[in-house]
Amino acid sequence: MTNKYMYFVANWKMFGDLRTLNSLDKVIKFSKNNKKNKFKIVYCPPNTLIRPLSRRLKKTKIEVGAQNCHHSYDYGAHTGQVNSTMLKNVGAKYVILGHSENRQLGEKDNLINLKIKSSIKTGLKIILCIGETLKERRQNKTNQILKRQIEKGLKSIKNKSKIIIAYEPVWSIGKGVIPKEADLNKAISFIKSRFVKKYPKILYGGSVNANNLSVLKKIPNIDGFLIGGASQNPKKFIDIIKKTIN
Ligand code: 13P
């Protein structure tokens, strides 16, 4: 795994304020000291922090992303919404789409598909989250769910070069549990099999921490991690990166 180019994407969710950014100095230093290593750090803070964060990271290799966007490429009367153009304008290079926390609020595959299309048009890289719930897993529907989320989410998108898939089993997020090695292997292989030639990079997300990396590192087709809780703590985040690349 260490020879691969690995992604470490921090999803801060609805956490963080301007003061939080001071805590990033440790990660910036770590990134500068490890310039030759093959990994990419991406921070996806709340929208309120994209601009200040991207300014702070200007002279580093760390990039910034957003956690969601409106599906319209054009500006419009959509109260409280932000589109991909606006996100790019303040420094975002990535956008997380289809996160289960938004699917649980009613976001459907066809809406996610529109968001992906407008974000591609803007020039953002997309981290498309997919994953089954505990109920679906118990009903042995994992592959069926992953297939639907991939097919509908990426419907009529020919050029997938900007797409990164993040497999996040819903039952693992924030729960401190990760899938068994064999199950994770199966799910990641299944995702890979849905892409004919050049499959996108595939990340794993759900309770990633320095202690369970020994299991996660064994999965050959994982290209990195989408990290929630542990990414808010610079020491924990750096530990995850160190344990993966060493
Ligand atoms: P946790 O790492 O807190 O389980 O969150 C995972 C996640 O939802 C990342 O998008």
Side-chain angles (χ1 to χ4, degrees):
M1 193 181 233
T2 46
N3 282 332
K4 270 174 122 179
Y5 192 90
M6 295 292 285
Y7 281 76
F8 298 90
V9 183
N11 177 7
W12 275 6
K13 309 192 179 185
M14 204 173 75
F15 290 97
D17 54 31
L18 289 170
R19 276 173 312 169
T20 319
L21 300 185
N22 296 329
S23 71
L24 290 180
D25 291 348
K26 285 193 190 106
V27 181
I28 294 173
K29 196 168 159 208
F30 173 77
S31 163
K32 285 189 172 156
N33 289 340
N34 286 276
K35 263 187 191 148
K36 294 217 173 89
N37 278 318
K38 295 192 291 179
F39 63 85
K40 163 73 62 200
I41 298 174
V42 181
Y43 270 101
C44 299
N47 287 349
T48 47
L49 295 179
I50 291 178
R51 184 65 170 166
L53 183 52
S54 55
R55 282 199 173 156
R56 209 165 178 124
L57 298 175
K58 217 170 183 176
K59 288 188 182 138
T60 74
K61 292 173 105 180
I62 304 173
E63 292 186 304
V64 181
Q67 301 170 13
N68 202 356
C69 69
H70 189 267
H71 64 275
S72 171
Y73 178 77
D74 298 312
Y75 296 144
H78 306 294
T79 303
Q81 302 290 330
V82 171
N83 73 0
S84 52
T85 317
M86 291 160 155
L87 295 172
K88 190 180 179 199
N89 185 253
V90 289
K93 296 214 162 59
Y94 293 76
V95 60
I96 297 172
L97 293 172
H99 195 284
S100 59
E101 284 153 12
N102 293 321
R103 291 183 191 262
Q104 278 158 9
L105 293 177
E107 201 174 79
K108 297 275 184 291
D109 293 306
N110 56 349
L111 182 65
I112 295 164
N113 176 256
L114 295 177
K115 292 183 177 199
I116 295 175
K117 284 176 178 161
S118 80
S119 300
I120 290 179
K121 201 167 162 189
T122 306
L124 295 183
K125 290 180 188 137
I126 289 97
I127 299 167
L128 169 62
C129 298
I130 58 173
E132 80 286 359
T133 61
L134 189 59
K135 190 173 167 205
E136 290 160 346
R137 178 179 141 90
R138 286 190 174 140
Q139 293 170 337
N140 267 327
K141 285 186 177 162
T142 299
N143 286 0
Q144 186 186 324
I145 299 298
L146 298 179
K147 180 173 180 284
R148 191 205 75 217
Q149 291 176 336
I150 293 169
E151 283 177 3
K152 293 198 169 170
L154 298 178
K155 195 173 170 206
S156 66
I157 296 171
K158 288 208 178 68
N159 182 354
K160 299 186 180 60
S161 62
K162 291 240 158 48
I163 309 285
I164 295 169
I165 302 285
Y167 172 54
E168 297 206 304
V170 181
W171 50 272
S172 164
I173 295 174
K175 296 284 193 297
V177 285
I178 59 165
K180 291 201 182 88
E181 188 186 335
D183 291 340
L184 187 51
N185 234 326
K186 257 193 242 163
I188 299 280
S189 302
F190 178 76
I191 295 167
K192 190 181 158 191
S193 75
R194 304 311 303 167
F195 295 92
V196 188
K197 282 185 204 148
K198 265 170 104 184
Y199 59 93
K201 293 206 170 288
I202 303 171
L203 314 183
Y204 168 77
S207 294
V208 176
N209 62 48
N211 298 328
N212 53 31
L213 270 175
S214 49
V215 175
L216 296 172
K217 267 179 84 164
K218 288 189 199 153
I219 316 295
N221 290 317
I222 287 181
D223 299 290
F225 302 107
L226 181 53
I227 306 156
S231 74
Q232 291 164 36
N233 178 320
K235 190 182 169 308
K236 287 186 183 168
F237 193 48
I238 292 171
D239 257 12
I240 290 171
I241 302 175
K242 277 192 187 161
K243 289 214 167 140
T244 308
I245 61 172
N246 292 326

